[in-house]
Amino acid sequence: MADVLIRRGISGLPSVPRQGDRGNYPYEAITVAKVLWAAGVTVEFEDSKPERDYHTHDSADIWLPVIEFATDVGKDLVVAAVTAVITRYIVKRQDGANPPAPEEVTPQAI
């Protein structure tokens, strides 16, 4: 019996099925298994070696959604800043100067 059992499946990639004739494993599982073997830990895979397929994560899987989100936030910030500048410019042109401060009202005793 092994100390560690590496099960089939790749977290973060739902498009890679966990069921099927061949087991899908992340490519990094090989490195993890070697490090554990070197430390004296017995490691086994859920599938035998000829029945395994290894897959790698492409950086695009992670970074494209992050870049898309950052671009959307950046666009929103630029649009908000430009809108604020235009609004201030229009208000100053219409008033000619800053509007007067409201008068202070002091309560009167009855």
Side-chain angles (χ1 to χ4, degrees):
M1 182 167 167
D3 296 326
V4 174
L5 174 65
I6 299 178
R7 304 211 47 175
R8 62 169 50 189
I10 302 175
S11 61
L13 286 180
S15 61
V16 178
R18 290 185 181 265
Q19 290 81 22
D21 295 338
R22 299 181 60 79
N24 294 310
Y25 294 89
Y27 186 76
E28 295 79 14
I30 299 169
T31 307
V32 171
K34 288 180 181 179
V35 169
L36 292 173
W37 284 328
V41 178
T42 27
V43 179
E44 289 181 7
F45 284 82
E46 191 173 16
D47 297 296
S48 63
K49 195 170 189 172
E51 296 173 351
R52 291 184 229 152
D53 284 331
Y54 296 102
H55 300 273
T56 60
H57 284 277
D58 294 330
S59 62
D61 293 341
I62 297 169
W63 286 108
L64 282 179
V66 171
I67 291 170
E68 183 179 358
F69 174 76
T71 304
D72 288 344
V73 170
K75 286 179 191 174
D76 291 343
L77 291 175
V78 169
V79 168
V82 169
T83 303
V85 168
I86 292 171
T87 305
R88 286 187 198 135
Y89 177 74
I90 291 172
V91 168
K92 281 186 178 181
R93 282 196 72 188
Q94 287 177 350
D95 294 340
N98 292 334
E103 296 179 20
E104 290 186 24
V105 178
T106 54
Q108 299 275 334
I110 300 179

